[in-house]
Structures are given as structure tokens and as C-alpha cells.
């Protein structure tokens, strides 16, 4: 699995930050516990040990001093009872001294203290006999001389020895005082250190915690802004997306309604985007979309909104723009989109189709305006006119295009496609020579949908490939069945410009022909004039391969696509089909008749057969025969028919071929009348 790097590093940073803060807090607690225990122990030493030792040393010192006083008192006392009492006090003080020393010895002592105590003990044992002897002498002293002698003994023998002990005791007390001071100092230092360390670590933890918090808040805010941006803008081009565009459109409707102003909504779809994607790859397709977005942006006003709604669909909102402003802008955009794009050194021309809806004329709420701009765009695409305004008449036919788009994908698997056949009559023989297969969509809700309503949709969604494959297969199958019944008619199928970009098309058609054992010469490929004029290498190669295969090639709707003779000459053509708009009008319109006549002459001059479509009356038929038109097709002879009606027509009409109906195969799809 690939790591999402920024998210991963944020997570790692946060984990590290929190871990450090946690570690600092734990250290803070540990330091608090360790140092406080230490200070507590130090205070304990001061209170329980040092103070006790000092007190015991003081007791010994006092006892010693008072023993000296007792000795002197005994010596100067006359009353034997009082002497006795002081002698007892002398002894008691002696025991007090020894008990205090023993207690001192029982306490934990340093080496220096032990040494001092040892000295005191030794001094005590050497002093004891002298003191005792001095006390004995003092006890027995009765006269002034005795007393003086006893006092001398005390002064000379006992007191100096006792003074030695007192000196050692003073040293002991000083030692303990020092030790107490030292421990108190240590405790104070420890306390100070602990406070400093705790404040430092606490500050660090708070600082780091704050940093982590700032980091989290900043990242969360950034993430929220990013998500908000993603929800409103297209990730590829950075243009507003459908959500934001819809919002702006809603605002535009409200403010334009309030200020009684117009605005234009343009729906723009690239014409050959799919081709770029298929031939150069999605990467280049994405690049192209970006360049388109940049080009659109560079030519828009600041107040305009340009959005990418998905795929190669863009929408533009032009405030304060009326019909003429919309038309001028659309023309400008079309020009921009026909200029070549450079994709890593490859020059690509895409072109676009634009549908325009003007507020309030073509709709008063966002949904309707969007639908109407889309509907107009489909018409522009289908008719190859560049741009179209919404028109209620076309709207009725195309309103449900968006819904149809979804259903169309399932039309084949749900067996909803039908082929109708329109006979072509050869003028020389007056008999049917071929059929044109025209597709229809038997929609469960909308009934029989004519091709004009869904071919452009199929082209824009890529569904045209399976649709054409189905049409070719079905038409060839039907033609082969007719042949087996002895009716040798040609079969024409309409192939979209997009199919001609499929290098495999000749191979696929050849496979279908061999499956149904139909000679290629019976299959006629009808391609619109605009489709062959887009003479990319691939289109030319496909047409040449089809020619080699042996199928016939016919230019459909001739006269609508401004093709030059030079271009036509390059193509492996067999037939030219004059567009019905000229044929239908030729009886009353001299210009139309001139176009028809000159097309027939030009076609013949190039060695081509000329077919007229849209023959609606006898007069037109007759005139076409006079002009030397090779073949004709139109409502006058027959409308496009479902297979079973076709059989009837072939049997009964004046142009039909005589055939044995019993040998005709059953139609492949259920009959429906057009
Ligand atoms: P087209 O190939 O030019 O077909 C002729 C159209 O003119 C047919 O319309 C036909 O019904 C109509 N038509 C024929 N005679 C007359 C007439 O006397 N008067 C009038 N007013 N109309 C007449 P349809 O069947 O609606 O097809 C429209 C277009 O749809 C076709 O024009 C063709 O370009 C396209 N189309 C039909 N089937 C297919 C298909 O299988 N694949 C592709 N790619 N396009 C198809
Ligand atoms: Mg046709
Ligand atoms: Mg036509």
C-alpha cells in the first residue's frame, strides 16, 4: 500500500509531540517523587538523628558539668547528710552521662562521631577513679584543711580530666551542629534544584503541549479549508465545480430577478475530447482540459463564472448579457477552442459546441436554465453549428436528454434498439435497389425515439461504438436474409465520424460480413460530409481499408458541410447523397434546384453515383429523373419501415421487387409502426 505522505507525517509528528509531552510529564512526576523523598529523608535525618544526637551530647555535657559542681559542693559541705545527698547526685549524674552515651552509641554514627565517642569512653574510664577518689576525699573531709586538700585533689586530678571529656563533648556537639547544618543545607539545595527542574520541565511540557495544540489546530484548519475547497472546486482545473456553479447560478437568478437584468448561461462541450483521450491517453486528456480551462479564463471577465461540471463539459455564467452579447461571446469561445492546443509538442484541435440559455427568456430557475443550455448544446453538436440558443421547439425534443443519457447505456442489453429500413429507388429501373438502415430506440417511457435525439448523446458518451456494432450486425444479418430469399438489395448503414477513428472498424465489418456470408459490395457505408472532412490520418486509412475490403462509400447530407472538390477527390467514394434540405425545396426554390443539378453534374464528373434523399412528391421525383439523378429515397416512395412492413411494401408497392414472401425470414425484433 502506498503511504499518503503528508497525512502520515502529520500523524508521526503528532504522535512524537504527544509522546514527548507525556514523557516530560512522567519525568516531572518522577523528579517530584525522587527529590521530595530525598528532602524528606534529609529532614528526617535532621529531626530524628542529628537533633537527638545533639541533645544526648548536651545531656552528657550537663551531667559532666554538674558532676564537677557536685564534687565541689561535697567538698565544702559540712553536714554529712547533705554530703551524702550530693554524693548520690554525683552518682546519678554519672549514670545519666553513661546512659546518654550508650543511647548515642546506639544511633547511626559517622566515623568521626564514633572516634570521638571512643575517646570520651576512654577518657571517662581514666577519669572515673580520680573523680571517685576525689569524692571519697571530699566525703571524709571534716576540717578546713581536709576540705582544702579535697578541693585540691578535685582541681588537680578530677577537673582537668573531666575538662578533657568536656572538650571532646564540645567537639562532638560541634560536629553534629555542622552535620545538621550540612544536611539542612543539602535539603535546601535539593529543594531548590527540584523546584528549578520541575519549573523547567513543566515549562517545557507546557510549551511543547502548546506547540502540539497549535500544530493540531493549524492542521485541522488547513484540512477543513482544503476539504471546503475540494467540495467547491474541480480538482483537475481548479475551476468552480457543479456545486459552486449551481450556487452562483442561484445567486445570479435572485439578483437578476431583483434588478430586472438578463444573464447568459453557456453550456460548452468539447467536440473531439474523447478522441484525444483515446489516442493520446488520459494524461494528455487531463492536460488538454487544463489548457482549455486556462484559455477560457484568460478571455472571461472578472464577473463571469467558468466551471467544469465533469468530463469535457464546461459551463459559463455571464452576468448582464443578452442574446447578442451571448452570441458574440460564444463565437469568441468557438474561435478560441478551434485554435490548436500544444500537448507535449503535438498540435491538437478539438473544437466545441455551445448551448446558450438567456435569463429570463429561456428559463427562470437554475435547473430549467441548465437543462435548456444543455439541450441547445446537443442541438449545436448534432447539427455541427458551433453554438445554438435554446429554442422551445428543440427543447421539447431534447429536454429529457440528460435522463436519456443514463438509459441509453442499457439500450442494447435491454433489446431496445430497432432498425427501420428506407428503400432506395434506382431512377433508371424504377425499382428498389437498396435499403438504408435507420436506427430507432424503443424506449419504455418515451416510445420510439428517433436517432436525432440520441445519436449525439451516444457520440458524446462513447456509446456510439457498441451502437454502430449492433447496427452493422443487424443490418448485415437482415440483408443476408433478404438475399437468401432472392431479393438482392444493397444495405446502407450510417457510420458516425467517431467510428472512423476506430482503426479496427474495417476488420470488425469484415468479420460481420463473413459471419453472415454477405459479399462486401452489398454493404454501403454512409458517412456525413462533415465526418469525412475531418480528414485525420486514421479516418483516411479506415476509409481506404473499407474500400479495399470492397464495401461502397457514400457521402451523406452532401451540401451541408462546405467540402471542397479537392477533398472529395481524395476519398475512395462511390456515391454522393444530396441532403434532403435541398431536395425537399427544389420544386419551389430555384437556388435549391441549382444546387441539386450542379451536385449531380459534379458527381457524375467525378465518376460517382448521385442519390437524392428527401423526395416527398411525384414532381420532385420526376425532376430528379430529368436531371439524371441515379437513385432517390424519400417519403414519397416510402418512409423508413420496420422489417415486417418492409416485406409487405416490397410485395405491394409499384417500386418493390417481386419476391416469394414465404421465403422471407422473420424479423429479428418485434414489429412497431413508425
Ligand atoms: P440520414 O442518414 O440522412 O437519414 C435520412 C433521414 O431523413 C432519416 O431520418 C429519414 O427518415 C429522413 N427522410 C428520408 N426521406 C425523407 C423525406 O422525404 N422527407 C423528410 N422530411 N425526411 C426524410 P431519421 O431516420 O430520423 O435519421 C436521421 C439521421 O440520424 C440520419 O440521417 C442519420 O444521420 C442518423 N442515423 C440514423 N440511424 C443511424 C445509425 O444507425 N447510426 C448513425 N451514426 N446515425 C444514424
Ligand atoms: Mg444516411
Ligand atoms: Mg442524409
Amino acid at each position: 500500500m502506498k503511504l499518503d505522505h503528508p497525512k502520515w507525517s502529520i500523524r508521526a509528528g503528532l504522535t512524537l509531540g504527544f509522546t514527548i509531552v507525556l514523557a516530560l510529564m512522567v519525568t516531572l512526576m518522577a523528579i517530584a517523587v525522587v527529590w521530595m523523598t530525598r528532602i524528606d529523608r534529609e529532614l528526617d535525618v535532621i529531626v530524628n538523628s542529628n537533633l537527638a544526637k545533639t541533645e544526648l551530647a548536651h545531656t552528657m555535657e550537663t551531667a559532666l558539668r554538674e558532676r564537677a559542681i557536685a564534687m565541689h559542693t561535697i567538698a565544702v559541705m559540712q553536714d554529712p547528710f547533705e554530703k551524702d545527698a550530693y554524693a548520690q547526685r554525683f552518682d546519678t549524674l554519672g549514670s545519666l552521662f553513661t546512659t546518654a552515651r550508650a543511647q548515642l552509641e546506639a544511633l547511626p554514627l559517622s566515623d568521626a562521631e564514633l572516634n570521638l565517642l571512643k575517646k570520651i569512653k576512654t577518657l571517662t574510664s581514666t577519669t572515673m577513679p580520680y573523680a571517685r577518689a576525689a569524692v571519697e576525699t571530699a566525703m571524709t573531709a571534716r576540717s578546713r584543711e581536709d576540705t582544702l586538700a579535697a578541693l585540691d585533689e578535685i582541681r588537680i586530678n578530677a577537673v582537668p580530666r573531666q575538662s578533657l571529656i568536656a572538650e571532646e563533648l564540645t567537639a562532638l556537639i560541634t560536629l553534629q551542629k555542622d552535620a545538621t547544618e550540612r544536611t539542612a543545607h543539602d535539603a535546601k539545595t535539593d529543594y531548590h534544584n527540584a523546584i528549578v527542574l520541575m519549573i523547567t520541565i513543566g515549562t517545557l511540557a507546557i510549551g511543547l503541549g502548546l506547540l502540539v495544540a497549535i500544530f493540531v489546530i493549524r492542521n485541522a484548519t488547513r484540512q477543513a479549508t482544503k476539504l471546503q475547497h475540494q467540495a467547491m472546486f474541480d480538482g483537475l482545473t481548479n475551476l468552480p465545480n457543479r456545486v459552486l456553479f449551481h450556487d452562483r447560478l442561484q445567486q445570479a437568478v435572485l439578483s437578476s430577478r431583483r434588478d430586472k437584468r438578463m444573464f447568459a448561461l453557456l453550456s460548452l462541450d468539447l467536440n473531439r475530447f474523447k478522441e484525444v483521450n483515446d489516442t493520446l491517453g488520459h494524461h494528455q486528456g487531463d492536460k488538454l482540459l487544463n489548457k482549455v480551462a486556462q484559455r477560457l479564463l484568460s478571455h472571461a471577465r472578472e464577473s463571469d463564472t467558468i466551471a467544469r461540471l465533469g468530463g469535457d463539459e464546461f459551463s459559463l455564467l455571464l452576468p448582464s448579457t443578452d442574446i447578442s452579447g451571448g452570441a458574440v461571446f460564444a463565437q469568441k469561445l468557438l474561435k478560441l477552442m478551434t485554435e490548436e492546443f500544444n500537448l507535449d509538442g503535438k498540435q491538437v484541435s478539438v473544437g466545441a459546441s455551445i448551448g446558450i440559455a438567456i435569463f429570463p427568456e429561456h428559463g427562470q430557475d437554475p435547473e430549467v436554465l441548465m437543462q435548456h443550455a444543455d439541450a441547445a448544446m446537443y442541438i449545436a453538436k448534432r447539427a455541427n453549428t458551433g453554438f445554438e440558443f435554446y429554442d422551445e421547439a428543440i427543447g421539447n425534443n431534447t429536454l429529457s436528454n440528460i435522463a436519456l443519457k443514463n438509459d441509453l447505456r442499457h439500450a442494447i442489453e435491454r433489446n431496445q434498439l430497432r432498425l427501420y429500413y428506407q428503400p432506395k429507388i434506382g431512377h433508371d429501373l424504377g425499382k428498389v435497389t437498396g435499403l438504408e438502415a435507420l436506427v430507432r430506440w424503443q424506449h419504455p417511457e418515451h416510445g420510439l425515439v428517433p436517432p436525432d435525439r440520441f445519436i449525439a448523446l451516444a457520440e458524446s458518451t462513447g456509446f456510439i461504438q457498441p451502437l454502430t456494432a449492433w447496427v452493422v450486425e443487424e443490418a448485415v444479418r437482415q440483408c443476408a436474409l433478404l438475399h437468401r430469399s432472392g431479393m438482392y438489395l444493397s444495405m446502407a448503414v450510417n457510420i458516425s465520424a467517431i467510428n472512423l477513428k476506430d482503426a479496427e472498424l474495417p476488420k470488425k465489418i469484415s468479420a460481420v460480413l463473413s459471419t453472415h456470408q454477405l459479399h462486401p459490395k452489398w454493404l454501403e457505408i454512409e458517412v456525413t460530409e462533415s465526418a469525412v472532412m475531418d480528414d485525420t490520418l486514421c479516418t483516411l486509412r479506415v476509409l481506404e481499408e473499407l474500400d479495399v475490403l470492397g464495401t461502397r462509400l457514400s457521402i451523406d447530407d452532401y451540401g451541408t458541410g462546405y467540402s471542397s472538390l479537392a477533398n472529395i477527390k481524395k476519398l475512395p467514394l462511390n456515391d454522393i447523397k444530396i441532403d434532403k434540405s435541398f431536395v425537399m425545396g427544389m420544386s419551389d426554390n430555384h437556388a435549391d434546384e441549382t444546387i441539386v443539378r450542379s451536385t449531380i453534374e459534379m458527381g457524375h464528373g467525378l465518376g460517382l453515383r448521385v442519390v437524392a434523399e428527401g423526395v416527398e412528391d411525384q414532381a420532385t421525383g420526376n425532376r430528379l429523373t430529368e436531371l439524371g439523378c441515379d437513385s432517390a429515397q424519400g417519403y414519397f416512395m416510402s418512409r423508413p419501415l420496420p422489417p415486417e412492413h418492409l416485406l409487405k411494401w416490397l410485395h405491394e408497392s409499384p417500386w418493390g421487387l417481386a419476391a416469394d414472401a414465404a421465403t422471407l425470414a422473420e424479423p429479428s425484433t418485434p414489429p412497431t409502426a413508425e
Side-chain angles (χ1 to χ4, degrees):
M1 196 184 80
K2 210 176 140 223
L3 279 174
D4 187 341
H5 194 67
K7 263 191 213 155
W8 182 84
S9 61
I10 288 174
R11 207 172 300 161
L14 278 180
T15 315
L16 187 70
F18 277 122
T19 313
I20 294 176
V21 172
L22 208 74
L24 285 173
M25 296 303 246
V26 171
T27 318
L28 196 70
M29 265 166 56
I31 286 174
V33 171
V34 169
W35 288 77
M36 288 309 147
T37 316
R38 212 158 125 181
I39 294 164
D40 185 53
R41 214 172 35 230
E42 280 159 355
L43 290 175
D44 195 51
V45 168
I46 294 170
V47 174
N48 295 330
S49 181
N50 290 14
L51 290 184
K53 281 186 208 167
T54 314
E55 204 177 301
L56 287 170
H58 276 299
T59 309
M60 285 164 73
E61 196 186 28
T62 315
L64 203 65
R65 212 179 325 114
E66 285 191 10
R67 251 164 80 102
I69 296 168
M71 267 192 285
H72 284 91
T73 314
I74 294 169
V76 293
M77 284 275 168
Q78 294 306 315
D79 184 353
F81 290 106
E82 276 180 352
K83 272 187 193 271
D84 220 35
Y86 271 94
Q88 263 176 33
R89 181 163 167 68
F90 176 83
D91 286 343
T92 310
L93 286 167
S95 337
L96 194 65
F97 179 90
T98 343
T99 312
R101 199 188 63 207
Q103 278 174 350
L104 202 54
E105 278 169 347
L107 289 173
L109 296 169
S110 67
D111 288 347
E113 287 170 331
L114 270 174
N115 278 339
L116 281 173
L117 268 183
K118 224 185 255 169
K119 260 191 199 167
I120 290 168
K121 209 172 173 182
T122 319
L123 286 171
T124 312
S125 54
T126 52
T127 309
M128 201 69 87
Y130 291 100
R132 196 144 292 288
V135 169
E136 299 268 302
T137 314
M139 281 294 282
T140 51
R142 295 284 179 260
S143 62
R144 187 176 148 72
E145 286 76 32
D146 288 350
T147 302
L148 283 175
L151 282 173
D152 272 350
E153 196 179 335
I154 289 168
R155 187 173 48 83
I156 294 159
N157 291 331
V159 171
R161 285 189 173 83
Q162 285 220 65
S163 294
L164 285 177
I165 298 173
E167 264 169 36
E168 295 306 322
L169 273 172
T170 309
L172 187 64
I173 287 165
T174 313
L175 199 72
Q176 275 153 7
K177 212 171 123 200
D178 287 351
T180 305
E181 266 169 17
R182 229 178 12 255
T183 316
H185 180 263
D186 282 356
K188 212 167 158 186
T189 314
D190 284 351
Y191 175 74
H192 178 258
N193 286 345
I195 292 285
V196 169
L197 220 74
M198 277 157 69
I199 287 175
T200 312
I201 293 176
T203 314
L204 257 175
I206 290 170
L208 207 75
L210 268 174
L211 275 180
V212 171
I214 290 169
F215 180 73
V216 168
I217 290 167
R218 196 184 299 165
N219 263 294
T221 320
R222 210 176 287 160
Q223 200 72 8
T225 320
K226 206 167 129 194
L227 283 178
Q228 202 179 12
H229 189 87
Q230 273 172 2
M232 296 290 189
F233 291 85
D234 168 46
L236 180 67
T237 59
N238 219 17
L239 290 179
N241 65 8
R242 191 180 286 277
V243 178
L244 182 57
F245 187 74
H246 197 269
D247 190 58
R248 299 249 172 107
L249 185 57
Q250 213 147 18
Q251 296 300 326
V253 165
L254 291 176
S255 63
S256 302
R257 194 176 289 160
R258 195 182 50 227
D259 305 339
K260 303 213 172 350
R261 271 190 286 118
M262 290 179 149
F263 71 80
L265 173 68
L266 274 67
S267 177
L268 182 150
D269 198 276
L270 300 179
N271 289 344
R272 283 179 291 277
F273 174 68
K274 200 177 169 307
E275 191 187 318
V276 172
N277 244 353
D278 291 349
T279 52
L280 301 179
H282 289 274
H283 178 61
Q284 296 296 354
D286 287 355
K287 257 195 190 162
L288 174 65
L289 290 175
N290 254 317
K291 294 201 167 195
V292 167
Q294 289 316 315
R295 222 176 251 189
L296 291 177
L297 276 176
S298 64
H299 286 78
R301 293 171 301 185
E302 209 156 286
S303 53
D304 299 341
T305 301
I306 301 174
R308 177 173 170 242
L309 307 190
D312 59 344
E313 280 175 57
F314 293 85
S315 268
L316 295 94
L317 180 65
L318 316 177
S320 307
T321 306
D322 59 7
I323 291 197
S324 62
V328 170
F329 197 80
Q331 264 158 348
K332 195 167 91 178
L333 289 185
L334 287 175
K335 194 163 164 283
L336 273 183
M337 291 300 117
T338 41
E339 280 167 23
E340 288 186 333
F341 288 93
N342 184 332
L343 297 180
D344 290 342
K346 280 203 181 72
Q347 298 301 323
V348 177
S349 145
V350 272
S353 300
I354 300 173
I356 313 172
I358 302 287
F359 173 89
E361 199 176 321
H362 299 145
Q364 307 217 358
D365 69 75
E367 281 75 21
V368 172
L369 281 163
M370 291 281 276
Q371 274 180 2
H372 287 178
D374 270 355
M377 187 273 289
Y378 282 120
I379 294 299
K381 183 162 269 203
R382 183 79 195 107
N384 208 10
T385 51
F387 77 92
E388 287 290 334
F389 280 97
Y390 173 74
D391 170 349
E392 218 159 300
I394 60 142
N396 292 336
N397 285 333
T398 48
L399 241 177
S400 47
N401 268 349
I402 295 127
L404 285 185
K405 215 180 205 179
N406 274 337
D407 298 350
L408 189 57
R409 275 189 226 125
H410 307 289
I412 293 181
E413 72 208 39
R414 291 179 186 160
N415 196 25
Q416 291 171 345
L417 294 183
R418 306 280 180 266
L419 277 190
Y420 275 51
Y421 301 92
Q422 190 176 34
K424 283 185 188 173
I425 312 298
H427 274 297
D428 42 355
L429 294 168
K431 288 285 176 199
V432 59
T433 53
L435 302 166
E436 178 177 8
L438 295 155
V439 73
R440 272 97 184 90
W441 177 13
Q442 185 66 56
H443 192 280
E445 288 159 35
H446 303 289
L448 200 65
V449 184
D452 280 336
R453 276 188 65 191
F454 65 89
I455 292 293
L457 274 184
E459 286 173 341
S460 68
T461 53
F463 182 68
I464 194 70
Q465 302 282 10
L467 182 139
T468 304
W470 182 87
V471 167
V472 171
E473 169 85 37
E474 182 60 18
V476 168
R477 190 184 74 84
Q478 195 59 252
C479 185
L481 279 177
L482 289 168
H483 282 215
R484 261 175 256 143
S485 314
M487 287 186 267
Y488 292 95
L489 299 174
S490 66
M491 180 64 78
V493 287
N494 293 281
I495 298 286
S496 152
I498 292 172
N499 297 128
L500 297 179
K501 308 277 185 289
D502 176 10
E504 299 292 298
L505 185 74
K507 235 188 250 167
K508 289 177 189 165
I509 291 183
S510 168
V512 174
L513 288 167
S514 27
T515 307
H516 296 284
Q517 294 175 335
L518 186 72
H519 193 280
K521 71 175 180 188
W522 296 107
L523 184 67
E524 205 170 303
I525 309 285
E526 289 192 11
V527 198
T528 59
E529 194 186 344
S530 49
V532 287
M533 283 313 111
D534 177 19
D535 58 346
T536 55
L537 265 182
C538 186
T539 304
L540 260 176
R541 210 167 39 229
V542 166
L543 291 176
E544 273 157 14
E545 278 180 36
L546 284 171
D547 185 47
V548 171
L549 177 66
T551 58
R552 294 180 71 86
L553 180 68
S554 171
I555 275 213
D556 207 347
D557 301 346
Y558 184 79
T560 55
Y562 320 103
S563 45
S564 72
L565 263 182
N567 278 333
I568 290 208
K569 259 173 61 189
K570 282 197 298 192
L571 302 170
L573 272 186
N574 303 95
D575 293 19
I576 292 183
K577 244 178 133 175
I578 309 171
D579 188 65
K580 57 178 176 283
S581 59
F582 306 109
V583 178
M584 277 155 55
M586 65 185 273
S587 307
D588 336 299
N589 188 319
H590 184 65
D592 282 349
E593 200 202 270
T594 310
I595 291 170
V596 172
R597 196 181 48 234
S598 53
T599 308
I600 294 171
E601 281 166 12
M602 181 211 74
H604 286 166
L606 290 170
L608 305 171
R609 283 168 44 89
V610 182
V611 185
E613 65 174 16
V615 181
E616 291 192 344
D617 49 49
Q618 176 88 59
T620 310
N622 292 342
R623 184 72 189 122
L624 285 166
T625 314
E626 283 166 27
L627 292 174
C629 185
D630 301 288
S631 143
Q633 182 182 345
Y635 290 173
F636 174 62
M637 287 77 93
S638 170
R639 284 179 173 261
L641 299 165
E644 67 291 352
H645 290 190
L646 171 73
L647 298 180
K648 195 164 177 285
W649 184 92
L650 286 171
H651 284 299
E652 295 171 4
S653 86
W655 298 278
L657 273 177
D660 180 358
T663 59
L664 281 176
E666 279 301 303
S668 62
T669 49
T672 29
E674 189 173 40

